[in-house]
Amino acid sequence: MEYTIQKLARLSGVSSRTLRYYDQIGLLPPKRINSSGYRIYGQAEVDRLQQILFLKNFGVKLEEIKTTLADPTFDITDLLEQQRNQLEQQLTQLTALIRSLNQTLAYYKGEKNMTDKEKFTAFKNEKLQENEAHYGKEIREKYGEETVAAANQKWLQLTPKEYRQLQDAEARLFSALEILSSGPQPADLDSQAARQVFEAHKEWLTLAAPFYNTDYHRGLADMYVNDERFAAYYNDRTSQPSVSIMRDIIFHYTEA
């Protein structure tokens, strides 16, 4: 089926002006121009417009969309599956948060009791889903499904006290990393701040992971450095890059 620009605008909800602009920048040329000078769009153009709208909705800029769609190796199905998985995870988070809000409202209205553990369940679930979305694949490839499942289960079973301890350990970790990353380089691995980094991260890992040993600790340290997403988690929380310093500290204090 073929469409004029006006019909495609009505079908898609995209204005004729925007469609003409997409043509001008080479993002969505029409299939042909008819004898009256009107743009005519076919099935391929309809599909391409749908892909453009999906990518825009995912936050991709028009220039990047144009480059992406021009890549002969680009497979829209891979992208859509990734986005679907992310949306499903977000839906799971929102559902859990709404459930927790309903429980909390009932608690404050005096309609039901709520355990201390229940008060934090939604937040732990949200963090778990966030970690799964960002790091789940890499963690599973390195440590296996069984280890990840055990770690997730331990995370969900954290008591309010343990959760506060975990947050406090992370705060101490970044405070000490800030001192080291903003100071003279290379950092003094025998300093009080370096030892505080190691002890805080070990405490965090002991609370969050299903087990602790030095090989596991070192393996995580290497992954933090080698994977840009893990690296960014640490580097973005200090005024100067800090993930390499943390890796060196972990190796320094876990030497046999």
Side-chain angles (χ1 to χ4, degrees), residues 39-98:
R39 294 174 173 86
I40 303 297
Y41 298 86
Q43 189 61 57
E45 289 71 38
V46 171
D47 289 348
R48 184 178 176 92
L49 177 58
Q50 186 200 36
Q51 294 175 17
I52 291 168
L53 295 180
F54 266 125
L55 290 167
K56 278 190 64 181
N57 188 261
F58 300 154
V60 184
K61 297 180 179 179
L62 291 182
E63 274 302 315
E64 295 177 45
I65 294 175
K66 182 179 177 181
T67 301
T68 298
L69 295 180
D71 184 349
T73 65
F74 173 67
D75 185 350
I76 187 66
T77 59
D78 289 341
L79 177 66
L80 294 180
E81 286 177 353
Q82 291 173 15
Q83 292 298 324
R84 181 192 61 193
N85 291 339
Q86 290 183 20
L87 290 172
E88 287 175 345
Q89 290 167 354
Q90 290 172 15
L91 178 61
T92 300
Q93 292 173 15
L94 288 172
T95 300
L97 187 58
I98 290 171

Side-chain angles (χ1 to χ4, degrees), residues 66-241:
K66 182 179 177 181
T67 301
T68 298
L69 295 180
D71 184 349
T73 65
F74 173 67
D75 185 350
I76 187 66
T77 59
D78 289 341
L79 177 66
L80 294 180
E81 286 177 353
Q82 291 173 15
Q83 292 298 324
R84 181 192 61 193
N85 291 339
Q86 290 183 20
L87 290 172
E88 287 175 345
Q89 290 167 354
Q90 290 172 15
L91 178 61
T92 300
Q93 292 173 15
L94 288 172
T95 300
L97 187 58
I98 290 171
R99 186 184 304 114
S100 180
L101 281 170
N102 288 335
Q103 290 178 321
T104 304
L105 281 170
Y107 168 72
Y108 282 114
K109 289 179 179 179
E111 297 172 357
K112 65 163 291 183
N113 291 326
M114 193 177 191
T115 68
D116 288 341
K117 184 176 181 180
E118 287 175 331
K119 294 173 185 176
F120 296 96
T121 298
F123 302 107
K124 289 190 288 186
N125 269 315
E126 182 178 15
K127 185 64 175 178
L128 180 61
Q129 293 297 327
E130 180 183 327
N131 289 340
E132 281 286 341
H134 284 91
Y135 315 119
K137 180 180 178 182
E138 290 73 17
I139 291 289
R140 281 173 169 77
E141 288 176 351
K142 187 172 182 65
Y143 295 105
E145 180 67 39
E146 185 176 339
T147 298
V148 175
N152 289 346
Q153 187 64 26
K154 184 173 182 181
W155 172 265
L156 291 173
Q157 291 177 344
L158 286 174
T159 66
K161 180 180 178 180
E162 289 170 333
Y163 191 71
R164 288 193 297 270
Q165 289 175 331
L166 189 145
Q167 291 177 308
D168 179 64
E170 187 171 69
R172 285 186 277 110
L173 169 71
F174 284 117
S175 176
L177 273 178
E178 175 63 29
I179 293 172
L180 292 168
S181 63
S182 59
Q185 300 301 316
D188 182 0
L189 302 184
D190 291 311
S191 65
Q192 181 179 354
R195 175 164 285 281
Q196 184 175 344
V197 166
F198 174 74
E199 291 177 349
H201 192 265
K202 181 179 179 180
E203 180 181 348
W204 181 94
L205 189 58
T206 303
L207 286 165
F211 58 84
Y212 177 85
N213 59 53
T214 56
D215 288 339
Y216 182 47
H217 203 169
R218 286 182 167 219
L220 285 177
D222 274 335
M223 187 166 61
Y224 293 162
V225 171
N226 295 328
D227 189 297
E228 61 183 14
R229 288 166 297 178
F230 285 100
Y233 182 81
Y234 293 94
N235 291 336
D236 291 349
R237 284 164 175 75
T238 50
S239 57
Q240 299 295 325

